[in-house]
Amino acid sequence: MPAQGCAKKGSVQFMISNNFNVSNTNWWSNASTRNPGIGTWTPLANRVGNNPFGQNAAGTSQAFRDSVVQLTETSRALSQALSSIRGMGNTPSPMQARRPVSENTDAMTINSFDPNRLRGAGASDFSVDILQVAQAQRNEGASLQSNARAADSGFTTGAHQISINVGNRQFDINFNVSAGDTNRDVQQRIATAINNRNDIGVRATVETGTGSAAGTSSLVLESARTGVDRAGSPNFTVSSGSGNAVAMTGVGETTQQAQDAQFRVNRGFTGALQTSRTNDVDLGFGMTAQLRETGNVQVDMGRDVISQQNAFRHMVNTFNDLVSTARDAGRTDSNLQNELAGIVRSSASALERIGISLNQNGRMQIDEARMAAAAESGELERFADSREGFNFMSRLNRTAESVGRNPAAHADTSQEMSVMGGFGGGNADFMSGGFNFTPMQSMMMTRFMNIGMLFDSFM
């Protein structure tokens, strides 16, 4: 089929571009003008400048085109929102979506999940046995009186060096102890020197004692990561290069060994033992979780109430957008607004059960508490699967698709036809002054006016 087709009806010849896109804002100012002759056309902007409706109606044409575009986009959005509730193409309906829920969040929380994989796997309840959680190596030093002078506590003044060994690498930490330093001053100086080295893989903190240990502080070294680096070996060791800081702080002793997480995922049978260096683990079928403490955790595959509510919220938002666009299109007694409101009113009792009603402005509104309760009880799912819910969404979708097919029919045609006043004495003079249009020709004139074109000549 050629890029352009030519049709002829009676005394009017017109050109139709197969590539025309109403959402392309460039066609108004950039369309080329053909040489005058039989069956030629000119963009309106070329005839009367950028204001085709004259000085007394500035911007009317732009408003009309914007209305057509907005009606197209908002009707399409509503149709897609309705389709997504029922399931569209390869995207399953959120009404059948399931969300894994941990029955013991103190022991394990669900981090993420893939609803498509869960649905494909025929997700069912399962349990997780947490045998041990992953933890970092920790060397917690001695509690020292924070404000006591370091020299009085036994620190030697002058230069000190602490060596931290990680695998086959040694990192030397150098610092000084002055005569006026307190124990906390020295602890903090060591911690700062270690943390300034980002390549060690060890973090240092100074912890303040509480309760009976109030007024004390401890230097603590800890692996930056959980899990075991090398089986049977500590992740790091601490030794003294010069001075007595290691002995005085007590950080040479390991108080907590590093370990990997160990767990089993039981789906109808005892699962295989799994290990992880971290507590963020993969439970299979697109689910991840964070292990917190040992124990058995039941995972229930309940309704994905969040996805269900979001789907209905999206439907309400797109419905309200279409209502607003219909009002902005310029008609004061819009048949479209009345039709949309009528569809909602016809299913008012069923919609109210799921927390949706129609306000005095013809827009939907949501009772969030009622919708949340409807999602938890399964009422949202039952509505989507019911005959009443299906009929409601089908009627709404047919209306949205009708608007999308012919958006100009729902915009204010008085705006598009008022352009005639700029070409020879008003609409009546133009439409009757020497031109005898058939009903079909008048319709085509109106439609081409919709896209900013006038005929140059007639046969």
Side-chain angles (χ1 to χ4, degrees):
M1 187 173 182
Q4 288 189 326
C6 180
K8 185 174 182 180
K9 178 70 176 178
S11 61
V12 181
Q13 180 172 308
F14 49 91
M15 301 297 296
I16 303 172
S17 171
N18 293 332
N19 296 322
F20 172 73
N21 182 352
V22 73
S23 64
N24 182 353
T25 57
N26 292 326
W27 62 265
W28 173 259
S29 58
N30 295 338
S32 60
T33 303
R34 299 178 59 196
N35 294 328
I38 295 177
T40 61
W41 54 266
T42 306
L44 288 178
N46 293 356
R47 296 286 288 273
V48 292
N50 290 325
N51 176 14
F53 294 99
Q55 296 299 320
N56 294 329
T60 308
S61 176
Q62 183 63 51
F64 179 80
R65 295 200 308 277
D66 287 347
S67 294
V68 171
V69 172
Q70 287 298 313
L71 284 165
T72 302
E73 293 176 348
T74 53
S75 62
R76 182 183 296 118
L78 175 57
S79 182
Q80 291 173 344
L82 291 164
S83 297
S84 68
I85 291 177
R86 299 286 302 179
M88 180 175 60
N90 295 325
T91 303
S93 167
M95 299 303 108
Q96 281 72 53
R98 294 295 177 259
R99 174 180 290 268
V101 177
S102 169
E103 290 291 303
N104 182 359
T105 55
D106 289 335
M108 185 185 78
T109 55
I110 303 297
N111 283 346
S112 64
F113 65 97
D114 184 340
N116 294 328
R117 291 185 62 184
L118 289 180
R119 188 180 293 102
S124 58
D125 299 348
F126 64 95
S127 67
V128 178
D129 288 323
I130 305 171
L131 306 180
Q132 70 180 33
V133 295
Q135 62 186 25
Q137 178 183 331
R138 179 180 172 91
N139 288 21
E140 185 174 343
S143 295
L144 304 176
Q145 290 297 319
S146 298
N147 295 327
R149 287 205 325 157
D152 295 340
S153 299
F155 282 97
T156 58
T157 58
H160 287 255
Q161 184 181 83
I162 289 179
S163 297
I164 301 177
N165 301 281
V166 180
N168 297 322
R169 302 181 66 189
Q170 177 175 309
F171 302 90
D172 294 329
I173 307 300
N174 298 294
F175 59 94
N176 290 308
V177 174
S178 302
D181 289 339
T182 65
N183 289 331
R184 189 178 183 91
D185 290 336
V186 176
Q187 292 168 334
Q188 191 61 59
R189 189 171 298 132
I190 296 171
T192 300
I194 292 173
N195 292 334
N196 284 340
R197 294 288 302 271
N198 297 323
D199 55 342
I200 298 179
V202 174
R203 296 175 299 191
T205 57
V206 177
E207 297 185 356
T208 300
T210 60
S212 61
T216 66
S217 55
S218 304
L219 176 64
V220 178
L221 305 187
E222 191 172 78
S223 299
R225 299 183 301 176
T226 58
V228 178
D229 286 340
R230 293 184 301 166
S233 300
N235 285 2
F236 66 89
T237 59
V238 183
S239 59
S240 198
S242 62
N244 64 347
V246 173
M248 288 302 302
T249 58
V251 292
E253 298 297 323
T254 298
T255 54
Q256 174 181 284
Q257 297 287 347
Q259 67 181 26
D260 294 338
Q262 295 182 358
F263 63 101
R264 301 178 188 272
V265 180
N266 309 310
R267 291 187 171 90
F269 55 90
T270 301
L273 179 65
Q274 301 183 53
T275 62
S276 170
R277 287 196 60 181
T278 75
N279 288 312
D280 292 322
V281 300
D282 186 351
L283 301 180
F285 298 106
M287 286 178 286
T288 65
Q290 184 179 61
L291 308 182
R292 295 180 177 273
E293 61 183 36
T294 59
N296 179 268
V297 180
Q298 184 71 22
V299 179
D300 293 338
M301 303 303 299
R303 295 182 184 87
D304 188 355
V305 295
I306 295 176
S307 293
Q308 290 184 0
Q309 292 175 78
N310 286 341
F312 277 92
R313 288 190 190 102
H314 185 50
M315 178 197 72
V316 168
N317 290 337
T318 54
F319 174 92
N320 290 340
D321 287 344
L322 182 55
V323 170
S324 297
T325 303
R327 291 189 174 182
D328 293 342
R331 294 184 184 273
T332 56
D333 57 340
S334 171
N335 291 332
L336 175 56
Q337 296 174 58
N338 294 334
E339 182 176 353
L340 291 170
I343 294 172
V344 177
R345 291 191 185 99
S346 67
S347 300
S349 59
L351 289 170
E352 285 177 2
R353 288 196 299 270
I354 62 173
I356 297 175
S357 59
L358 194 71
N359 66 21
Q360 60 184 4
N361 296 320
R363 292 175 172 83
M364 286 185 184
Q365 60 187 13
I366 297 176
D367 182 329
E368 291 289 351
R370 178 172 289 188
M371 178 172 285
E376 291 289 348
S377 67
E379 188 65 32
L380 278 184
E381 190 173 331
R382 287 191 290 272
F383 174 83
D385 291 336
S386 68
R387 178 179 296 276
E388 187 169 21
F390 177 79
N391 289 339
F392 164 74
M393 289 185 285
S394 294
R395 290 180 61 195
L396 206 53
N397 190 54
R398 284 196 296 271
T399 298
E401 289 183 341
S402 175
V403 174
R405 284 192 297 268
N406 190 11
H410 300 276
D412 189 351
T413 53
S414 66
Q415 294 182 3
E416 60 174 306
M417 295 307 296
S418 67
V419 69
M420 298 304 187
F423 295 96
N427 297 353
D429 290 341
F430 185 89
M431 297 301 291
S432 62
F435 297 106
N436 298 316
F437 289 162
T438 66
M440 175 62 73
Q441 291 165 352
S442 297
M443 182 275 290
M444 292 306 301
M445 173 61 75
T446 299
R447 290 293 167 252
F448 274 87
M449 292 284 296
N450 288 350
I451 60 173
M453 295 180 184
L454 283 179
F455 297 100
D456 285 330
S457 59
F458 303 88
M459 295 181 63

